[in-house]
Amino acid sequence: MTKKRSFLLIALLALSLAITGCSDGDSSTTLSGGSGELALSLADAPVNNVAKVNVTLSEVQVSRLDDGQEVWETINDFSDNGGEATFDLLTLRFDQELLGQEMLVAGHYNQIRLILASQNSEVVFKDDTVRTLTIPSGTQTGLKINHDFTIEDGKITRLLLDADVSKIMHSAGNSGKIILRPTAIKIIDQVISGDIQGRVVDTTGQAITGYDVLIEAWNGETKVASTVATAEAMDTNNDEIIDENDKPAGSFLLRGLEEGTYTITAKVVTGEDLNQDGNPDEVLNTNNEAMYQQTNNITVDVIAEQVTPLPENIILEEVTVDTTTTNE
């Protein structure tokens, strides 16, 4: 009887170890062998003194670490388009374009790389001046954007590369070229963030022209996003006709805001930052005061994966300067 009990005990222990071993093995296989989907898209923050910003790409890649080794995965090599694709960033101010979508091994990724096709990227100004858009080693190692993200088994990750053209306009000395740097591109996780769209006008309902109007989103005392309103109407339907279905002058889109409540402010700026504090200088009147003041306070709740319209236009009123003098 004792031998039977001992044999039974040993058998149960062996079975327990076998079950534990199988469980551990299945968990490990799921982590290392699972896969998820990555969708990368491209968009642009507005700038009003440029007509086109053409970026021609030959490949889009992402990087992961495998046992300490860097492994590059190709998201799109544009083989269906002759090996390259050109994107005009300024057409993506209220839209976005898919760069690529691919199934990837589940795990941690830390970098996105855009490889440029040679000599096909340029900036076209409104006076028809054309300057080359350059990425140092862009055709070899590409523009490397550091960004940590995780591909989860059975799930889709949607990342938006939001290019800021105002930051792209970084002159390379006397070379006549403009350098595209990684700091000019913001990565937005579209699964956990939403957008705000609206319009800013003066007290007559017209857009303010001649200056940039800076729109900012504040969460308490923290500025979390900013953009510039358009100075002219945009043909967002690409039908070469400006009508009520397009974006009127003064329109804007704030991208990549986490769920929460935001206060939206607007101010008219010169485009310069003489104080070098990261805040563009406001346009001043002859009394050395801000030329325009916002007349309405606007707050809005952002919901992830949605575009939330403002409940009303932002209204800026021109400050009246008293030019009368009194004789005593």
Side-chain angles (χ1 to χ4, degrees):
M1 193 72 175
T2 303
K3 289 183 179 180
K4 287 183 179 180
R5 285 179 181 172
S6 298
F7 177 79
L8 181 59
L9 203 55
I10 292 171
L12 288 174
L13 181 59
L15 180 61
S16 175
L17 289 172
I19 292 173
T20 303
C22 289
S23 176
D24 289 343
D26 290 345
S27 175
S28 173
T29 302
T30 300
L31 273 176
S32 61
S35 62
E37 194 167 7
L38 173 65
L40 283 178
S41 298
L42 182 66
D44 169 56
V47 65
N48 289 319
N49 64 337
V50 174
K52 293 182 179 180
V53 179
N54 293 324
V55 177
T56 302
L57 303 178
S58 63
E59 199 165 353
V60 179
Q61 302 175 337
V62 294
S63 170
R64 63 182 173 86
L65 293 177
D66 188 357
D67 292 330
Q69 298 295 316
E70 190 176 56
V71 178
W72 287 97
E73 304 278 5
T74 298
I75 302 300
N76 197 344
D77 60 7
F78 304 105
S79 57
D80 295 338
N81 198 49
E84 63 182 46
T86 298
F87 304 89
D88 179 3
L89 297 183
L90 293 193
T91 65
L92 303 177
R93 287 181 281 188
F94 295 94
D95 201 358
Q96 62 187 53
E97 192 158 350
L98 186 67
L99 287 176
Q101 190 162 339
E102 190 69 29
M103 295 297 296
L104 297 173
V105 173
H108 176 73
Y109 291 74
N110 62 356
Q111 206 170 73
I112 299 167
R113 180 160 69 179
L114 306 178
I115 298 179
L116 263 68
S118 59
Q119 300 179 350
N120 285 324
S121 297
E122 62 185 16
V123 176
V124 181
F125 291 86
K126 291 191 174 180
D127 62 0
D128 293 329
T129 303
V130 180
R131 294 173 66 183
T132 301
L133 179 62
T134 302
I135 296 177
S137 302
T139 58
Q140 289 83 40
T141 59
L143 179 70
K144 294 182 178 180
I145 307 165
N146 293 322
H147 181 74
D148 292 309
F149 63 97
T150 300
I151 298 297
E152 297 185 51
D153 184 28
K155 295 184 178 181
I156 183 169
T157 299
R158 293 196 300 275
L159 299 180
L160 178 67
L161 280 63
D162 188 14
D164 188 338
V165 173
S166 65
K167 292 182 179 179
I168 291 175
M169 309 304 293
H170 182 95
S171 178
N174 297 321
S175 67
K177 296 180 181 179
I178 297 170
I179 298 178
L180 174 55
R181 303 183 185 278
T183 52
I185 298 179
K186 174 184 177 183
I187 307 297
I188 296 172
D189 186 339
Q190 295 187 290
V191 175
I192 62 172
S193 64
D195 305 333
I196 297 173
Q197 69 176 2
R199 188 176 183 227
V200 56
V201 296
D202 62 18
T203 52
T204 69
Q206 300 299 310
I208 296 169
T209 58
Y211 301 103
D212 281 341
V213 181
L214 182 68
I215 314 298
E216 297 175 329
W218 295 80
N219 188 335
E221 299 296 320
T222 304
K223 181 175 67 176
V224 295
S226 64
T227 191
V228 174
T230 57
E232 56 189 17
M234 282 193 60
D235 178 20
T236 50
N237 290 324
N238 296 317
D239 56 7
E240 299 184 358
I241 299 174
I242 301 296
D243 55 28
E244 66 275 5
N245 296 317
D246 293 303
K247 295 293 183 184
S251 299
F252 65 86
L253 179 67
L254 287 161
R255 286 189 172 100
L257 299 163
E258 294 185 0
E259 287 193 341
T261 301
Y262 297 87
T263 300
I264 310 302
T265 64
K267 57 185 178 182
V268 180
V269 297
T270 65
E272 297 180 336
D273 181 10
L274 298 180
N275 296 326
Q276 296 185 341
D277 58 359
N279 297 308
D281 301 326
E282 287 194 69
V283 175
L284 304 179
N285 58 25
T286 55
N287 282 352
N288 208 35
E289 301 170 334
M291 184 178 289
Y292 289 88
Q293 290 184 353
Q294 186 171 338
T295 65
N296 53 343
N297 296 319
I298 295 182
T299 59
V300 61
D301 293 326
V302 170
I303 300 174
E305 300 186 90
Q306 293 188 21
V307 178
T308 302
L310 292 186
E312 58 181 312
N313 289 337
I314 300 174
I315 299 175
L316 294 179
E317 181 179 25
E318 188 171 358
V319 176
T320 302
V321 178
D322 187 2
T323 59
T324 62
T325 58
T326 58
N327 295 321
E328 297 187 8

